[in-house]
Amino acid sequence: MKPGYSYSEPPAGAVTCLTCRRMNLAITRQEAERRAAEANACRRLGDPRPPVTIDYWACCVRPRFRRARLGDCPDGSTYGAVVCERLDEG
């Protein structure tokens, strides 16, 4: 039985993890490092939270990615960014 979701074409640059099946926008390691540095620059002295690292943009323990396609993310769902160095089309 198919769920009653509607789907739209995924945005350009979207990838789907073959391990956890989540769709995200792919970013480079350099982009993640830039975003982490930017977030850490805004931290206040004595902030108890740990600094932001590129692990924030990790998907799961053993991610393998393919280009996202119709049906990977229902309309209205949210998605983030993930570091994607290569695609494992499957």
Side-chain angles (χ1 to χ4, degrees):
M1 184 172 168
K2 289 181 108 177
Y5 305 127
S6 62
Y7 298 91
S8 295
E9 214 37 61
V15 294
T16 298
C17 178
L18 296 171
T19 304
C20 68
R21 304 312 239 188
R22 291 186 180 178
M23 187 195 85
N24 289 290
L25 294 177
I27 62 171
T28 63
R29 181 174 296 278
Q30 292 81 12
E31 175 66 13
E33 288 170 350
R34 184 191 67 74
R35 290 182 183 189
E38 193 175 279
N40 290 327
C42 296
R43 294 171 51 90
R44 292 191 174 134
L45 187 63
D47 190 343
R49 296 173 295 172
V52 177
T53 66
I54 65 167
D55 292 337
Y56 180 82
W57 292 276
C59 181
C60 51
V61 177
R62 292 191 182 103
R64 298 176 315 130
F65 298 104
R66 67 165 168 77
R67 293 187 202 292
R69 52 185 174 231
L70 187 64
D72 285 346
C73 189
D75 286 346
S77 295
T78 60
Y79 51 87
V82 67
V83 174
C84 176
E85 298 287 297
R86 65 187 181 101
L87 294 175
D88 297 315
E89 298 292 334

